Amino acid sequence: MILCITHSQDFYNIDLFFGHLASKNIPYFRLNSDRLNHEQNISITDKGFELTDESGNTIHSEQITAVWHRKSWRITVPEEMDESYRPVFLKEYSSLRYNLLTSLQHLPWINPLEAENKIDGNKMLQLNLAEKHGLKIPETLFSNDAGKVTSFFHRKCNGKMVAKLHGSLAKSMNGENFLSTHIIDRDSLGNIEDIAYCPMIFQPYIEKAYELRIVYVDGTFFTGKINNSEHADWRVVREGYSWSAYDLPGSVEEGLDGMMKEMNLYLGAIDMIRGKNGEYYFLEVNPQGEWGMLQKYLGFPIARSIADQLIKRIPIHE
């Protein structure tokens, strides 16, 4: 049985994945990460765990043969709970979730849990590894020091700088809870003192021809191009843009493949841009990134590829 860890509002991508498993008569279990709380009954021992979800479905850890950590959301807190107890509730259920997941680390995962956490939580490491494998990256500063940011702006950014959080607040591609990448110019630089309260990543603004969303599945690339050259992030506007299939140069694919293998990731959604100067720039990889729009609009068989990649690593199928 394949365990898929997702969230209660995930439908399109996960349904495609489950549909492919069903077509191969492979059983699966959906675990909603945000409902891994008082709505579920969970017991973990040194031998494994038993879990009954919010719908009354029960699974034992010995039934699980492989895992896809599709996406984790913040655990839902009961509305009626006293504010003073909420931190304790979240801390203990987060610990319970982590213990449950790590008890399965001996099984095949789409991305090993620790590798995924390490890469997703360290954008500077991502940039270093990308550059190591021959990919071009923007000069980057991660700082809470207004003086250093101002100096970086004047020395490196030619009048226009991109600022973004290290961790995205986006829950989905529909923009819910999404804090976008934004542009800082000379007029807005005067407000940079507030950076002391929220460290951010800064890069020179690159005049771009278009953006690329690349889904990597164990050496296979599914690449979509979106014709955004004007805005810092197409997800803020969304209207007037369309996806088209794109063939990456062999050298870029080779660099990305080497980078992903060193990261120990089988799956990732990679963001790149092509500058008006013709260069390809690596921006980041999200191990839990969105790809449904590429399957929907371009017909890429991404869900099937993810499922097949995991199935082939289950010992009974070897």
Side-chain angles (χ1 to χ4, degrees):
M1 179 178 291
I2 291 180
L3 175 68
C4 184
I5 302 148
T6 183
H7 57 80
S8 59
Q9 301 304 308
D10 189 20
F11 300 109
Y12 179 73
N13 295 33
I14 201 67
D15 290 343
L16 292 171
F17 179 77
F18 288 152
H20 186 64
L21 294 181
S23 73
K24 291 180 170 289
N25 296 314
I26 295 175
Y28 55 85
F29 190 94
R30 174 179 182 143
L31 177 58
N32 289 323
S33 57
D34 52 328
R35 301 289 175 79
L36 212 158
N37 56 12
H38 62 293
E39 298 183 47
Q40 301 184 3
N41 293 326
I42 308 154
S43 296
I44 308 173
T45 72
D46 59 321
K47 300 295 189 292
F49 67 79
E50 177 182 288
L51 180 148
T52 301
D53 69 13
E54 66 274 20
S55 300
N57 304 304
T58 298
I59 189 170
H60 299 265
S61 55
E62 61 265 25
Q63 297 174 269
I64 301 169
T65 56
V67 183
W68 180 24
H69 189 208
R70 151 81 178 136
K71 196 176 288 287
S72 286
W73 270 15
R74 181 182 173 88
I75 293 168
T76 303
V77 179
E79 292 183 5
E80 67 276 11
M81 179 169 287
D82 187 275
E83 288 287 343
S84 64
Y85 193 73
R86 290 185 176 215
V88 177
F89 179 92
L90 284 172
K91 180 177 182 298
E92 294 308 315
Y93 269 108
S94 295
S95 177
L96 181 69
R97 182 165 75 179
Y98 184 71
N99 276 262
L100 184 148
L101 297 184
T102 53
S103 72
L104 301 172
Q105 288 190 113
H106 62 287
L107 298 174
W109 285 57
I110 281 292
N111 287 324
L113 183 63
E114 294 302 328
E116 185 173 273
N117 289 342
K118 177 181 179 180
I119 294 302
D120 195 39
N122 196 332
K123 299 298 191 248
M124 302 306 288
L125 176 61
Q126 290 186 20
L127 293 169
N128 288 336
L129 291 176
E131 189 171 41
K132 174 182 175 181
H133 288 276
L135 300 168
K136 195 170 185 64
I137 62 170
E139 293 193 63
T140 303
L141 173 68
F142 188 12
S143 181
N144 72 339
D145 186 326
K148 290 291 194 298
V149 174
T150 301
S151 175
F152 181 78
F153 177 86
H154 290 299
R155 290 185 300 107
K156 301 291 185 179
C157 297
N158 195 29
K160 192 180 286 188
M161 179 170 67
V162 170
K164 53 190 173 183
L165 290 179
H166 180 281
S168 173
L169 296 185
K171 288 185 177 179
S172 67
M173 294 298 289
N174 67 6
E176 180 184 2
N177 288 348
F178 179 71
L179 182 63
S180 70
T181 299
H182 61 279
I183 296 173
I184 294 176
D185 57 19
R186 286 185 172 85
D187 291 336
S188 54
L189 190 62
N191 300 320
I192 203 64
E193 293 295 334
D194 290 343
I195 197 65
Y197 300 101
C198 184
M200 296 184 78
I201 289 177
F202 300 91
Q203 296 171 330
Y205 179 80
I206 298 169
E207 296 290 341
K208 60 191 172 187
Y210 43 80
E211 297 182 43
L212 300 170
R213 170 58 61 94
I214 305 155
V215 178
Y216 174 94
V217 185
D218 194 26
T220 299
F221 295 87
F222 302 97
T223 303
K225 167 189 169 185
I226 192 162
N227 59 327
N228 173 32
S229 62
E230 298 177 2
H231 298 281
D233 196 314
W234 67 269
R235 289 169 291 185
V236 179
V237 183
R238 294 201 300 275
E239 296 180 359
Y241 299 128
S242 60
W243 290 99
S244 58
Y246 192 84
D247 292 325
L248 288 171
S251 59
V252 174
E253 288 192 351
E254 183 179 350
L256 291 173
D257 187 53
M259 179 195 75
M260 294 295 284
K261 283 183 167 58
E262 182 164 351
M263 290 177 176
N264 198 22
L265 298 179
Y266 294 93
L267 171 67
I270 299 164
D271 285 329
M272 298 188 74
I273 60 174
R274 190 172 191 190
K276 290 184 177 179
N277 59 5
E279 297 277 9
Y280 290 87
Y281 294 87
F282 171 87
L283 301 181
E284 65 177 338
V285 56
N286 183 348
Q288 298 181 1
E290 293 294 338
W291 45 264
M293 64 288 193
L294 299 187
Q295 174 133 1
K296 180 177 180 180
Y297 297 117
L298 301 178
F300 291 155
I302 299 173
R304 185 182 71 199
S305 297
I306 295 171
D308 287 343
Q309 197 286 328
L310 191 52
I311 291 167
K312 74 181 183 182
R313 293 168 54 216
I314 299 174
I316 194 173
H317 291 277
E318 292 181 350

